[in-house]
Amino acid sequence: MIAIEHVGSTSIEGLFAKPIIDIAIGVSSLNVIIELKEKVKAPGYVEVPVSIDGKHVFARYKEKKITHFLHVMIYNQNLWIDQISFRDYLRLNLDAKIEYIKLKEKLANEYPNDVISYTNEKKKFVDDILKRAKKL
């Protein structure tokens, strides 16, 4: 492991968020996943299937509810950079944060039990923020 970062909505002060902690783990190679899988089992993490090449996700549950996600990816490659850039942009830009708060509230009301639609609807906003962040 090269770096560990608190990411996701709970990492941005004042942002509407589910009570789930998202942690990004930057690794030198995805070959360490086999070893990491064994290490995260002890505190109760299980691997979650994801359809994103180059990313592995593990979840921890308490009383059948997810409490934590570990997002494992190659450090300083596109997935890592995007995750950190999105978080940092919203931390620094109040207008973007307010816009995201409004969008998340709207989507939470529209898709209270449909995580896939909720996430897909956020994608355009996330992509727009990443474009803004790359211009800095």
Side-chain angles (χ1 to χ4, degrees), residues 6-110:
H6 182 198
V7 296
S9 294
T10 58
S11 70
I12 303 163
E13 188 176 338
L15 194 63
F16 169 76
K18 296 180 206 113
I20 299 172
I21 304 295
D22 288 276
I23 302 165
I25 299 176
V27 295
S28 57
S29 163
L30 289 180
N31 294 334
V32 302
I33 292 297
I34 295 167
E35 184 181 337
L36 187 62
K37 281 182 189 182
E38 292 305 312
K39 288 184 178 182
V40 299
K41 278 184 185 177
Y45 285 91
V46 295
E47 190 164 12
V48 177
V50 295
S51 58
I52 301 172
D53 286 340
K55 183 175 185 179
H56 290 263
V57 177
F58 299 88
R60 185 173 180 192
Y61 295 81
K62 183 177 181 180
E63 299 171 5
K64 298 185 181 182
K65 291 185 179 181
I66 295 172
T67 60
H68 296 76
F69 279 118
L70 301 178
H71 305 268
V72 182
M73 61 203 90
I74 303 293
Y75 178 74
N76 261 353
Q77 286 193 350
N78 290 341
L79 291 172
W80 177 269
I81 292 167
D82 286 352
Q83 187 104 51
I84 303 305
S85 295
F86 183 78
R87 178 203 63 194
D88 290 351
Y89 190 89
L90 290 181
R91 282 180 173 176
L92 296 172
N93 188 306
L94 181 60
D95 290 339
K97 181 166 68 171
I98 290 169
E99 189 179 347
Y100 194 46
I101 289 169
K102 289 178 182 177
L103 175 65
K104 286 178 58 115
E105 288 174 339
K106 175 183 173 266
L107 296 177
N109 288 325
E110 287 180 22

